[in-house]
Amino acid sequence: MDLTFNKREDYNKLQLSKLRNKLNEVYLGGGKKRIEAHKNKGKLTARERIDYLLDDNKPSIEIGALVGDEMYQEHGGCPSGGVVIKIGYVSGKQCIVVANDATVKAGAWFPITGKKNLRAQEIAMENKLPIIYLVDSAGVYLPMQDEIFPDKEHFGRIFRNNAIMSSMGITQIAAVMGSCVAGGAYLPIMSDEALIVDKTGSIFLAGSYLVKAAIGEDIDNETLGGATTHCEISGVTDYKAKDDQDCLNRIKSVMSKIGDYDKAGFNRIESSKPSLDEKEIYGILPISRAEQYDMYEIIKRLVDNSEFDEYKADYGKTIITAYARIDGWAVGIVANQRKIVKSVKDGMQFGGVIYSDSADKATRFIANCNQKKIPLVFLQDVTGFMVGSKSEHGGIIKDGAKMVNAVSNSVVPKFTIVIGNSYGAGNYAMCGKAYDPRLIAAWPSAQLAVMGGEQAAKVLLQIQEATLKSKGVEIDEVKKEELLKEITDKYTAQTSPYYAASRLWTDGIIDPLDTRKWISLGIEAADHAPIEKQFNLGVIQV
């Protein structure tokens, strides 16, 4: 290996170490003292509950671990959005598990908590995947109630989704393992089956203090809405458990008896590992997002046997389109080539840029994958579409629109991995979050923004200079450099994969070596939902 490879490898492993350290902080939830207080009540933590529930010998992935990172600092923070979500297996059945973290503000819902819970339900609905709720929440975080309560994407949407999933025949199981109050009290009764843990679980629309204030009734919370009340008097819950383990064991038992599902029928054979060393990805990825590298070398370390069948290999070379297998699953790969390539028609083409011929090729390939019922995998490292008079006269907008149309109307499941740049309209054409990928994950090397930091900072500086001059303020070169640094630092922070993950623009930041697992579990989940629509591009400019 050469010196460049070694430098890249060291840098990328350092970024991975940073990710692991950040995740270890997040896994502590509200902190060691709150975890201790939580356990003193005889309760497992949210992560312990999920780990106990999921099958030990099966893979799992966590959705949104970094949600809320560095948000709501004035309120004490909200690690993981106060809720833990994993896709895994319970009694051999693939499902999604949602567990409130009561060590974070008693499991109260911040705005980002609502967004994350809705994402879990979206995954369940898209894939017709069973969903298990482990409830331990004080309800809406009142200081921010105006940002979580009334809108379409807020708290109330959860219960609307409960009803929709029920009508779709999607299994929902709710276990009340702590507080379940106010509007949240509707969740267990809107699920198929509801369990409650004796002495620690409680369900009521209003707690004892509010009941006293509202109607003058003196009553304790256990009598008002404890396990005995709801299992013997109200009939709200179906099973009473003596402790957390007993409750989780009962869920395992219920899940073990669920029948098989109708399959979409995506093609799968026995899995094979890449023949090339996956760990070499760390040495292939460059340190700077402006550096060139060969995306083929990344693909060879992600696909089974390092083999793929390339579609239109000599045409539209800045996008690679190929059929391959990942963990045995047949996939269609759409990837941005990041090194300069030569086109017979147009001469040299910049890596990471989408040209008209690349967009045309990708559109055709996406249509083919839909025709053949092959899931799509997008590997993003894109700076955008080519600009300039030659591209405009050649119809780049038209060709780009065709590609966006194909991505939008695709009926096969899509999965997106943000490897490097994800800028502007390139994010859209390469199936960014707005285009409904079943899962979207970023590597630590990712950057998401309207444009690159250096270009954006210079544009923003020009705007700020003009604003100051209009107010009669003249700035010298020293002041200009200070402004440029301030603008660049702020913009760079906003392009970070951590900034994107905290806001759920991606489902998480992952080790590149976990990419195959994410895609494989995602396709298996998608196989629960037979395709009911026909692929139709609608009206496009040809």
Side-chain angles (χ1 to χ4, degrees), residues 75-301:
H75 297 278
C78 189
S80 277
V83 62
V84 183
I85 298 170
K86 286 191 178 183
I87 297 175
Y89 301 81
V90 176
S91 299
K93 304 289 194 304
Q94 193 182 31
C95 59
I96 186 163
V97 184
V98 182
N100 300 114
D101 186 350
T103 71
V104 179
K105 287 285 190 292
W109 289 51
F110 284 71
I112 200 68
T113 314
K115 185 174 182 179
K116 187 172 175 180
N117 275 271
L118 290 171
R119 175 63 177 144
Q121 290 186 319
E122 179 183 45
I123 291 170
M125 287 189 285
E126 283 182 331
N127 299 292
K128 295 189 175 178
L129 207 59
I131 185 167
I132 299 168
Y133 309 97
L134 307 181
V135 185
D136 195 345
S137 171
V140 167
Y141 183 60
L142 289 178
M144 302 186 75
Q145 64 85 27
D146 61 320
E147 297 181 47
I148 181 63
F149 167 61
D151 211 344
K152 181 178 178 180
E153 301 303 325
H154 286 176
F155 186 75
R157 187 79 169 183
I158 300 292
F159 315 118
R160 174 263 187 194
N161 287 350
N162 288 143
I164 296 297
M165 281 191 280
S166 182
S167 71
M168 293 171 67
I170 297 171
T171 296
Q172 298 179 82
I173 298 172
V176 180
M177 309 180 80
S179 296
C180 183
V181 302
Y186 287 103
L187 187 143
I189 200 60
M190 296 191 75
S191 298
D192 302 335
E193 298 191 65
L195 305 86
I196 186 169
V197 179
D198 195 22
K199 299 299 185 288
T200 55
S202 58
I203 311 170
F204 34 67
L205 295 178
S208 56
Y209 293 124
L210 186 53
V211 168
K212 173 69 174 176
I215 63 173
E217 181 183 1
D218 281 309
I219 190 170
D220 63 89
N221 283 337
E222 183 64 25
T223 305
L224 181 66
T228 299
T229 295
H230 287 307
C231 286
E232 299 181 19
I233 301 173
S234 72
V236 167
T237 51
D238 308 310
Y239 307 97
K240 179 164 67 172
K242 63 181 181 181
D243 55 27
D244 280 12
Q245 288 91 340
D246 184 39
C247 182
L248 297 169
N249 286 335
R250 184 64 63 92
I251 294 174
K252 291 181 182 183
S253 180
V254 171
M255 286 293 294
S256 72
K257 297 172 180 65
I258 293 175
D260 205 356
Y261 56 90
D262 295 331
K263 294 176 176 61
F266 302 121
N267 185 279
R268 191 181 198 186
I269 62 173
E270 186 177 348
S271 174
S272 298
K273 290 185 177 181
S275 58
L276 296 179
D277 187 357
E278 297 171 71
K279 293 179 182 177
E280 290 177 352
I281 288 173
Y282 301 132
I284 295 168
L285 276 177
I287 295 171
S288 167
R289 296 273 48 82
E291 288 183 65
Q292 301 285 307
Y293 67 95
D294 191 348
M295 183 61 81
Y296 285 105
E297 297 303 317
I298 299 291
I299 294 172
K300 289 174 185 176
R301 289 158 177 82

Side-chain angles (χ1 to χ4, degrees), residues 432-462:
K433 182 69 181 292
Y435 290 79
D436 295 328
R438 298 293 177 97
L439 293 173
I440 176 170
W443 289 1
S445 49
Q447 290 185 348
L448 289 83
V450 172
M451 65 177 74
E454 186 178 344
Q455 305 95 307
K458 289 178 179 177
V459 171
L460 291 167
L461 177 63
Q462 291 173 23

Side-chain angles (χ1 to χ4, degrees), residues 468-479:
L468 290 170
K469 284 179 180 178
S470 70
K471 295 177 180 178
V473 180
E474 293 294 329
I475 60 173
D476 57 22
E477 287 302 315
V478 174
K479 181 64 176 174

